[in-house]
Amino acid sequence: MRLDESLVLNNGIKMPVLGLGVYKSGENTKQAVLDALEAGYRHIDVASVYGNENEVGQAIRESGIPREEIFVTTKLWNDDMRAGIQKEAFEKSLERLQMDYVDLYLLHWPVAEHYLPSWHILENLNREGRAKSIGVSNFQMGHLMDLMAHATVVPVVNQIECHPYLSQQPLCSFCRKTGIQVTAWAPLGRAKVFEDAVIKGLAEKYGQTPAQVILRWELQRGIIVIPKSVHRERIIENSKIFDFELVPEDMAVMDGLNKDQRFGPSPDTFDF
Ligand code: NAD
């Protein structure tokens, strides 16, 4: 696998398996995206609520890399679903990104009573070609079943919290069966799992860092990863995951670390 390795989504479009996340990257966003693109990343994960779509757009333009070579994901925020201003919110995201399309537009959270009507609006944006692909985030199995019972377009992606302490095996299997690609947010467990003795041991065994072992484990599970960092050396470190492979026994060891432990809010109880 190479750094710009892609998986094919259920609509035939390719999505790079490694992206840079920019949640809370703040004033460092532009430089982080430039560093990532220089390191070979071709996929950036942003959201309107992160407040830095502008900087992402600026960095992509300044990089000189053709727009079509970079996969950009952004997301429709919860309040915009509730307010019924989905279309306007999408236009504003495009304006801030200074782009005429996004590669992937996601419903950020399964806002009760609002995710279905919002999905139909995304389906229209998809038909118009301005959201090349559409998907969801933080959807549990029940949300996905409900959505698919009413949708004409099956989501290409479900972006969920996923790391060694929250392996999400049942949801991942369900997504695989229904043709929905899983993307892991907080793939590094927000840096709270690096001290795990098992992960440290595997890092030593493979001559890699804990972050690299974790990301490699996710990739070998067929999951797309979007680790966040604003530090050039870590951005590069997180991209060096294509030249080693965990053997099946070590994959099983990593699978065994699951404790169903979330570092972020639960999709069943979130209140924002
Ligand atoms: P993450 O697991 O990517 O952890 C990020 C933290 O890990 C950074 O703050 C940094 O301190 C540390 N880190 C990164 N690389 C490291 C390295 N090599 N060595 C040591 N420390 C390192 O957590 P995240 O930022 O929450 O998630 C990643 C991305 O997922 C976000 O930036 C965002 O794009 C997306 N996200 C989506 C949702 C959603 O609801 N869809 C929610 C949260 C995040």
Side-chain angles (χ1 to χ4, degrees):
M1 271 207 276
R2 296 193 335 260
L3 201 141
D4 60 351
E5 186 78 19
S6 296
L7 287 172
V8 181
L9 303 173
N10 66 23
N11 60 1
I13 290 179
K14 287 182 174 173
M15 178 168 181
V17 295
L18 171 71
L20 178 77
V22 297
Y23 176 48
K24 292 193 173 164
S25 297
E27 61 189 18
N28 299 310
T29 303
K30 188 171 154 195
Q31 192 55 48
V33 173
L34 281 167
D35 287 343
L37 293 173
E38 195 189 329
Y41 289 62
R42 290 293 180 270
H43 165 190
I44 309 296
D45 183 85
V46 65
S48 60
V49 76
Y50 302 168
N52 53 4
E53 289 176 310
N54 248 313
E55 289 75 4
V56 168
Q58 278 170 22
I60 289 176
R61 271 195 315 285
E62 274 181 36
S63 73
I65 298 167
R67 165 71 186 92
E68 61 275 16
E69 288 179 21
I70 304 173
F71 192 101
V72 178
T73 301
T74 193
K75 313 181 190 95
L76 176 64
W77 184 238
N78 304 346
D79 290 340
D80 298 328
M81 294 188 221
R82 290 189 190 102
I85 52 167
Q86 297 90 336
K87 191 104 198 289
E88 292 85 335
F90 177 74
E91 303 296 348
K92 281 189 186 151
S93 281
L94 282 188
E95 240 169 70
R96 285 188 291 262
L97 288 161
Q98 296 194 35
M99 291 174 181
D100 49 17
Y101 70 91
V102 290
D103 295 278
L104 178 58
Y105 198 47
L106 302 179
L107 297 182
H108 208 145
W109 288 84
V111 182
E113 287 154 41
H114 295 285
Y115 67 78
L116 272 182
S118 299
W119 185 251
H120 296 313
I121 293 166
L122 264 60
E123 290 179 322
N124 274 330
L125 295 170
N126 185 225
R127 247 174 252 122
E128 292 168 9
R130 294 191 313 141
K132 300 273 180 203
S133 296
I134 53 174
V136 296
S137 180
N138 300 301
F139 272 46
Q140 304 279 55
M141 252 180 264
H143 300 122
L144 289 172
M145 285 193 277
D146 180 39
L147 188 80
M148 287 192 288
H150 297 91
T152 51
V153 179
V154 175
V156 294
V157 156
N158 187 16
Q159 184 181 122
I160 53 175
E161 182 180 347
C162 187
H163 45 72
Y165 290 174
L166 183 72
S167 64
Q168 299 263 32
Q169 195 44 52
L171 184 51
C172 288
S173 299
F174 178 83
C175 286
R176 195 166 301 118
K177 274 189 226 128
T178 44
I180 300 171
Q181 173 62 47
V182 169
T183 298
W185 67 255
L188 298 172
R190 295 198 157 148
K192 291 173 185 152
V193 298
F194 295 147
E195 287 309 309
D196 185 286
V198 171
I199 296 174
K200 277 169 97 172
L202 287 175
E204 209 165 295
K205 172 175 170 185
Y206 286 89
Q208 307 289 333
T209 64
Q212 290 167 328
V213 166
I214 296 166
L215 295 172
R216 182 70 211 184
W217 165 70
E218 305 264 22
L219 283 191
Q220 287 183 221
R221 296 176 71 211
I223 292 172
I224 289 176
V225 289
I226 48 169
K228 176 249 176 173
S229 178
V230 294
H231 301 290
R232 190 183 161 78
E233 64 285 1
R234 286 179 176 169
I235 290 171
I236 294 170
E237 175 187 327
N238 294 344
S239 74
K240 295 197 183 298
I241 51 176
F242 297 94
D243 57 357
F244 72 104
E245 191 170 347
L246 302 177
V247 297
E249 301 75 53
D250 292 332
M251 286 295 293
V253 168
M254 287 291 293
D255 291 343
L257 296 178
N258 179 51
K259 327 180 190 182
D260 291 336
Q261 182 183 346
R262 292 183 185 276
F263 296 121
S266 164
D268 296 321
T269 54
F270 75 100
D271 61 353
F272 46 84

